[in-house]
């Protein structure tokens, strides 16, 4: 069993410190991409990267990199670790931040121990992974991997009417580097599971071998505003009622399918949004996910067919806008095997698994062999302030990451 380990106290302190950064007036953690709160988190991260003796680099889409590059390995493709530090609304402290801070911790531990890696080591914090303020999600890593043009990404208009590029400029995080400027030799992302599997099975480490496909769409239903007291039910063109039918359809279909398909309506707004007026417009988002690419297509087609029927039945006009679409991804089999072996070496029970959440690794896998390590999430809760992973599990995951790095860079 390896006795060489990360500095657990430093990792846990930084995690709590970053979790306290960017809270709103009600004490909620709302570090949406390129907001003032995000700037506070970024500034803190950069100060830790500098204190560790790494070079800070920022690219045009605001991705932050902490680079450890000795003379001896100039020009070699780096091993990249990372995740994101933006959050959802009223988030927990672990999602994303754990991966970034563990990456930094692993590099700092190796540097302080006098390890001489055979290639540069880089920790990355990718911009706008959550996609709450600007769609699509995983935007910084998608741009980095060449899947979205940087100018198009920077001109994205957010849910609050802001433009991502202007906001990044305002907070001082548009850097000079072209996205993709460091092509990784490999990428490894450590993350909390955000689901119930590891805790339920009493397993410490997940070796993530694949990640499900994700489809985000926005649905707009146009009906007619009318008086709530005087309009007979048979004469209504009620956009609100039509929206409710879509929500129920998605839930029933996913439940009855006996497959891993999941469907969520997470945003919904009505116009004019008045107690005594039939809604003239409903706008809502649909998040569909499935590990099987064909089945995800079938789910999208089934939604489309349902909307066509509903438009005719309810006498409403329905339009669909695509917000994000990502195919399922298979991670690098060799790195997945190394994760299993490293966990076993430390006496930690490990299982292979599929990620239900989207991650930056899914994008970086387009440009480099990639994989992920998961640690348990209490009651499978995430995207919620009660998100929790025990300290011992966090430290165990970071130590497995340390071992993987030592193996992948073949240092001395
Ligand atoms: C990111 O957290 C996602 O899976 O939506
Ligand atoms: Mn995340
Ligand atoms: Mn998340």
């Amino acid at each position: 069993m390896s006795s060489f380990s990360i500095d657990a106290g430093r990792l846990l302190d930084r995690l709590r410190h970053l979790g306290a950064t960017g809270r709103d007036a009600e004490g909620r953690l709302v570090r949406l991409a390129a907001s003032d709160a995000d700037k506070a988190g970024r500034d803190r991260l950069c100060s830790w990267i500098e204190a560790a003796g790494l070079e800070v680099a920022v690219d045009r889409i605001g991705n932050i990199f902490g680079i450890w590059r000795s003379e001896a390995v100039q020009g070699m493709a780096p091993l990249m670790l990372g995740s994101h530090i933006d959050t959802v609304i009223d988030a927990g402290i672990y999602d994303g931040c754990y991966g970034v801070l563990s990456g930094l911790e692993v590099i700092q531990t190796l540097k302080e121990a006098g390890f001489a890696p055979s290639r540069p080591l880089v920790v990355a914090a990718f911009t706008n992974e959550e996609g709450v303020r600007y769609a699509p999600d995983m935007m910084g890593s998608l741009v980095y991997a060449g899947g979205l043009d940087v100018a198009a990404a920077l001109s994205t208009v957010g849910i609050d009417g802001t433009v991502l590029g202007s906001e990044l400029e305002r907070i001082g995080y548009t850097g000079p580097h072209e996205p993709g400027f460091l092509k990784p030799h490999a990428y490894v992302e450590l993350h909390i599971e955000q689901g119930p599997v590891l805790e339920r099975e009493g397993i410490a480490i997940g070796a993530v071998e694949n990640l499900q496909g994700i489809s985000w769409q926005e649905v707009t239903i146009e009906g007619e505003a009318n008086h709530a007291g005087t309009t007979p039910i048979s004469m209504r063109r009620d956009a609100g009622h039509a929206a409710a039918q879509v929500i129920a359809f998605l839930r029933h279909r996913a439940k009855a399918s006996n497959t891993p398909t999941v469907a969520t309506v997470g945003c919904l707004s009505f116009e004019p949004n008045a107690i005594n007026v039939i809604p003239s417009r409903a706008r809502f988002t649909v998040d569909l996910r499935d590990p099987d690419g064909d089945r995800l297509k079938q789910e999208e087609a089934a939604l489309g067919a349902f909307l066509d029927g509903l438009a005719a039945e309810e006498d409403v006009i329905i339009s669909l806008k695509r917000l994000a679409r990502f195919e399922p991804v298979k991670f690098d089999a060799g790195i997945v095997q190394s994760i299993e072996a490293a966990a076993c070496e430390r006496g930690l029970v490990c299982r292979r698994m599929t990620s239900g959440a989207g991650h930056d690794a899914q994008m970086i896998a387009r440009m480099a062999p990639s994989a992920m390590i998961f640690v348990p999430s209490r009651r499978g809760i995430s995207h919620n302030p009660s998100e929790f992973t025990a300290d011992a599990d966090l430290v165990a995951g970071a130590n497995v990451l340390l071992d993987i790095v030592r193996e992948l860079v073949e240092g001395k």
Side-chain angles (χ1 to χ4, degrees), residues 124-146:
F126 293 105
T127 295
N128 187 35
E129 190 272 351
E130 295 291 6
V132 168
R133 192 176 183 202
Y134 304 99
D137 50 348
M138 282 83 72
M139 187 189 270
S141 47
L142 177 65
V143 169
Y144 195 78

Side-chain angles (χ1 to χ4, degrees), residues 95 129-130 137 216 289 357-358 383:
D95 180 357
E129 190 272 351
E130 295 291 6
D137 50 348
W216 280 7
R289 304 192 190 201
H383 285 184

Side-chain angles (χ1 to χ4, degrees), residues 84 86-88 95-96 129-130 191 194 357-359 382-383 387:
H84 60 97
D86 67 309
T87 74
V88 295
D95 180 357
E129 190 272 351
E130 295 291 6
H191 207 284
Q194 308 181 273
H359 294 290
S382 186
H383 285 184
E387 181 177 274

Side-chain angles (χ1 to χ4, degrees), residues 128-280:
N128 187 35
E129 190 272 351
E130 295 291 6
V132 168
R133 192 176 183 202
Y134 304 99
D137 50 348
M138 282 83 72
M139 187 189 270
S141 47
L142 177 65
V143 169
Y144 195 78
L148 174 63
D149 177 65
V150 63
L154 289 170
S155 64
T156 306
V157 177
I159 51 171
D160 51 5
T162 58
V163 175
L164 174 61
S166 316
E167 283 293 275
L168 280 172
E169 209 140 293
R170 186 182 65 79
I171 65 165
Y173 279 93
T174 42
H177 297 279
E178 273 312 313
F181 73 106
L182 295 167
K183 185 174 180 321
H185 166 70
Y187 175 80
V188 186
E189 182 166 349
L190 173 61
H191 207 284
I192 55 166
E193 181 200 338
Q194 308 181 273
V197 176
L198 293 175
E199 183 188 61
R200 194 174 57 209
E201 298 182 6
I203 290 174
I205 298 290
V208 186
E209 52 184 353
N210 63 336
L211 195 151
Q212 65 182 344
I214 303 176
S215 157
W216 280 7
Q217 297 181 87
E218 182 184 75
V219 182
T220 303
I221 302 182
E222 309 275 354
E224 185 176 46
N226 209 337
H227 197 291
T230 61
T231 316
I233 292 291
S234 60
M235 289 179 65
R236 295 178 181 218
R237 298 178 59 228
D238 184 341
H241 179 248
Q245 290 186 69
V246 181
I247 296 172
F249 164 78
L250 289 166
R251 172 61 174 260
H252 291 148
R253 184 175 164 88
K255 198 164 177 212
S257 71
N258 213 14
T259 68
T261 305
V262 285
T264 306
V265 172
C267 299
L268 169 67
S269 64
F270 288 160
E271 287 178 28
N273 204 30
I275 188 166
N276 54 357
V277 184
I278 295 163
S280 58

